[in-house]
Amino acid sequence: MAALIHKILNANEPAPNLMDYRAMRATFSWDIACAEQARLPYDRLNIAFEAVDRWVATGQGEVAALRWLGKNGERQDFSYTELARLSNRFANSLEQLGIGPGDRVCILAGRIPELYITALGTLKAGAVFCPLFSAFGPEPVRVRLVKSQARVLVTTTLLYQRKIREQRNNLPDLEHILLTDSDGSEPGTHSFHTLLETGPDHRSPPRTRPEDWALLHFTSGTTGIPKGAIHVHQAVAAHQLTGRWVLDLRPGDIYWCTADPGWVTGVSYGIIAPFVNGATLVVDEAEFDARRWYAILDRERVNVWYTAPTAIRMLMKAGAEAVQGHDLSALRFMASVGEPLNPEAVTWSLATLGRPFHDTWWQTETGAIMIANYRVLDIRPGSMGQPLPGIEAAIVRRRPGGGVDRLEPGEEGELALRAGWPSMFRSYLDDEERYQQCFADGWYLSGDLAICDIDGYFWFVGRNDDVIKTSGHLIGPFEVENVLMEHPAVAEAGMIGKPDEFAGQIVKAFVALKPSYVPSDALRKELLGFARTRLGPAVAPRELEFIPDLPKTRSGKIMRRLLRARELGLPLGDVSTLEGENPEEPDV
Ligand code: 6R9
């Protein structure tokens, strides 16, 4: 284990927002935190109002809310007042289109200003904001548009042409497509900006209630199509509090979240948390580049930085030379999320950047950070940290007949959280059964395996299912397998996450061919290309291996666990349910 990192607070820096973790844990109540939010008459609550309009109301509207850095060197600031006005216009435009409470508005776009206007305007209109990752191919986009029953999609002309146009007839719920860069040549679409120009600047305060649906995030399981996790407006209390206590955000801070808003981190912490805490959010449109990133930290005088282990490992690879000549002295706090943060990354950051990364743990379903390393506390490198005040976390084991048992410190089991915090997901869209399966005895069961040590620090062990985390993105093997199975040569396909030095895991496919096909390099390339065209680069497998047939249970489920064990040369473990072995055993 890497050595403990002791914190000595720098007297020249502002004191941490959370000064006494233990005292706050002992006294905290969500009721008080939620009461702090109710700023609208008649107990109404709205994330977008909390995020932007309240700053205008308190006279801080001229502060920069969004600082957008374009791919080609553009730099554009939007004040809180401007964002309030533009999101009012967008909400008014949606209403003119007949979109209202509960309707789903999807966005498929890179990190462009229109994305932030869409998010805030959708929330003000009482509609449900649903981001789709722009590197998804046509198939993941189709599946999510169908499942969400989106009535509106905001996108760019290029993404529309590449991913939507051909399948538009199969999307009957999708009534309006708004193109952010429309030149009027695409039939059946509207211009986002023309709509925005015609919408009035003003609107009355939003009428949403705390339990109204606000956000829809798709997340993947092991089986079936992606699950739509629903969050409500009340979640904003958790966004605000974690922003303040974990990320140590305060008004006037310059804050950079590198996550893409196509995923939950990019919305909870790449839109909502910085705005509700009055910070200036830096958004970089470009992809990762070590030198560009250090230049942004330096030039923008970033105070708080939230990023991911894959990016940190790439920065480590770029070496200390890349940071030379850059002044990172404005940085006060750095945090990471999405995958295990290796202890070396923490010690490296301390040595090279002068500050340690603080690991945080949470999920699409939890909506906000649940376990964290805090600015005020010492760091045990490799540990995810300790639960947020207001969150009870435990390690449990499911009992075969239902219910759970709590385990002792040091024992490995499933990480569980006592249900009931504001940003807890309220349902899986149209899948009540799956939602209920996530809970037992009042605990939310995360699906992650972990250990809690005697001092209350949590340590990540792995997943208890087959989902794959690649570059911080959660990929469902079923979605990838389904697409490969559509190729005429493929009889069966199974995906695993193969360990990778930088991405954490990469998606690796195992394929059994139909009898008339023979394995070849050309066919492997064809299949990889086929998957990439349909799924997009973020989801498609990077490696593909032919095998004669896939290990399956007698009920026909692919045993990805065995594929993984074979790949890694690990013991095969319990194979009692494997097809062809031990036929007396019941199916699983
Ligand atoms: C926010 C986000 C959730 C899954 C989660 C776990 C993994 C997240 C982690 C971590 C180890 C951390 N994960 N943070 N694993 N250490 N600090 O990533 O949400 O995309 O839903 O993924 O990511 O396996 O269950 P989501």
Side-chain angles (χ1 to χ4, degrees), residues 265 338-340 359-364 384 448 460 463 469:
T265 305
E339 326 150 52
D359 196 10
T360 66
W361 176 93
W362 58 292
Q363 303 178 304
T364 302
M384 305 189 290
D448 277 4
F460 182 80
R463 296 277 314 185
K469 261 273 163 139

Side-chain angles (χ1 to χ4, degrees), residues 53-338:
D53 297 64
R54 55 174 281 232
W55 298 110
V56 180
T58 55
Q60 285 121 296
E62 291 320 304
V63 172
L66 174 65
R67 173 159 302 154
W68 180 73
L69 308 176
K71 266 189 225 162
N72 305 314
E74 308 92 318
R75 186 172 188 275
Q76 198 179 349
D77 272 6
F78 297 79
S79 67
Y80 278 94
T81 302
E82 275 176 284
L83 275 191
R85 189 175 54 83
L86 290 167
S87 54
N88 278 347
R89 285 179 169 225
F90 187 66
N92 290 333
S93 311
L94 284 178
E95 265 165 22
Q96 280 164 20
L97 294 174
I99 304 300
D103 287 333
R104 263 75 84 179
V105 174
C106 286
I107 183 147
L108 176 73
R111 293 177 292 278
I112 54 176
E114 289 85 348
L115 186 150
Y116 302 83
I117 297 165
T118 299
L120 297 166
T122 299
L123 293 168
K124 283 187 175 177
V128 179
F129 176 66
C130 174
L132 306 176
F133 188 40
S134 59
F136 280 155
E139 184 58 15
V141 169
R142 184 190 67 80
V143 167
R144 287 159 179 78
L145 284 173
V146 168
K147 175 99 190 190
S148 67
Q149 295 180 296
R151 292 183 64 198
V152 178
L153 173 70
V154 176
T155 188
T156 65
T157 305
L158 191 67
L159 291 173
Y160 174 71
Q161 289 168 347
R162 286 202 184 149
K163 301 179 187 186
I164 314 282
R165 193 165 60 187
E166 273 177 32
Q167 44 185 356
R168 185 143 183 207
N169 292 342
N170 300 326
L171 299 166
D173 296 311
L174 189 57
E175 292 164 49
H176 306 287
I177 294 195
L178 317 185
L179 299 181
T180 57
D181 54 352
S182 174
D183 60 3
S185 65
E186 274 299 337
T189 64
H190 308 271
S191 154
F192 179 92
H193 285 282
T194 307
L195 269 178
L196 214 59
E197 276 153 31
T198 52
D201 266 0
H202 293 284
R203 56 183 280 125
S204 49
R207 302 174 61 80
T208 47
R209 295 177 188 280
E211 286 300 312
D212 284 348
W213 290 10
L215 307 166
L216 168 60
H217 283 294
F218 281 100
T219 185
S220 296
T222 309
T223 56
I225 61 168
K227 304 171 279 188
I230 299 283
H231 291 283
V232 297
H233 283 274
Q234 186 67 78
V236 71
H239 298 137
Q240 179 166 43
L241 208 80
T242 50
R244 187 196 300 163
W245 283 350
V246 182
L247 299 178
D248 200 47
L249 286 172
R250 60 199 73 210
D253 268 347
I254 308 287
Y255 164 79
W256 185 23
C257 171
T258 63
D260 189 277
W263 303 89
V264 72
T265 305
V267 174
S268 293
Y269 297 97
I271 305 179
I272 303 170
F275 291 162
V276 293
N277 282 291
T280 297
L281 169 68
V282 172
V283 168
D284 182 26
E285 189 194 13
E287 293 311 319
F288 175 86
D289 177 281
R291 283 176 197 279
R292 180 179 169 99
W293 277 31
Y294 287 131
I296 290 174
L297 291 168
D298 176 353
R299 199 184 52 232
E300 302 303 335
R301 310 303 298 148
V302 173
N303 307 118
V304 179
W305 184 29
Y306 199 22
T307 187
T310 296
I312 299 169
R313 290 190 287 264
M314 312 250 280
L315 290 174
M316 289 167 76
K317 184 180 171 207
E321 313 84 78
V323 72
Q324 261 158 30
H326 291 294
D327 171 9
L328 306 189
S329 60
L331 266 177
R332 186 175 75 237
F333 190 77
M334 317 196 307
S336 156
V337 67

Side-chain angles (χ1 to χ4, degrees), residues 238 242 361-362 366 368-372 374 386-388 391 417 421 423:
T242 50
W361 176 93
W362 58 292
T366 72
I369 298 168
M370 298 281 110
I371 295 180
Y374 304 87
Q386 302 183 68
L388 185 78
I391 296 298
L417 307 167
W421 66 96
S423 64

Side-chain angles (χ1 to χ4, degrees), residues 330-453:
L331 266 177
R332 186 175 75 237
F333 190 77
M334 317 196 307
S336 156
V337 67
E339 326 150 52
L341 179 66
N342 14 349
E344 307 77 54
V346 180
T347 41
W348 170 84
S349 59
L350 185 60
T352 315
L353 309 179
R355 314 224 154 232
F357 275 106
H358 294 73
D359 196 10
T360 66
W361 176 93
W362 58 292
Q363 303 178 304
T364 302
E365 285 83 349
T366 72
I369 298 168
M370 298 281 110
I371 295 180
N373 288 281
Y374 304 87
R375 187 169 157 222
V376 74
L377 294 186
D378 292 343
I379 296 181
R380 300 184 180 190
S383 160
M384 305 189 290
Q386 302 183 68
L388 185 78
I391 296 298
E392 188 187 351
I395 302 297
V396 304
R397 182 182 296 131
R398 301 189 196 218
R399 270 186 249 120
V404 296
D405 292 314
R406 273 186 92 146
L407 302 183
E408 295 296 318
E411 287 187 295
E412 179 183 318
E414 186 165 357
L415 173 54
L417 307 167
R418 176 70 66 195
W421 66 96
S423 64
M424 186 178 91
F425 70 135
R426 296 298 194 268
S427 74
Y428 282 135
L429 193 62
D430 302 326
D431 207 342
E432 184 57 22
E433 197 184 324
R434 257 175 147 182
Y435 184 70
Q436 291 305 336
Q437 283 166 2
C438 296
F439 298 89
D441 290 349
W443 294 96
Y444 162 69
L445 304 171
S446 72
D448 277 4
L449 300 174
I451 290 171
C452 180
D453 68 21

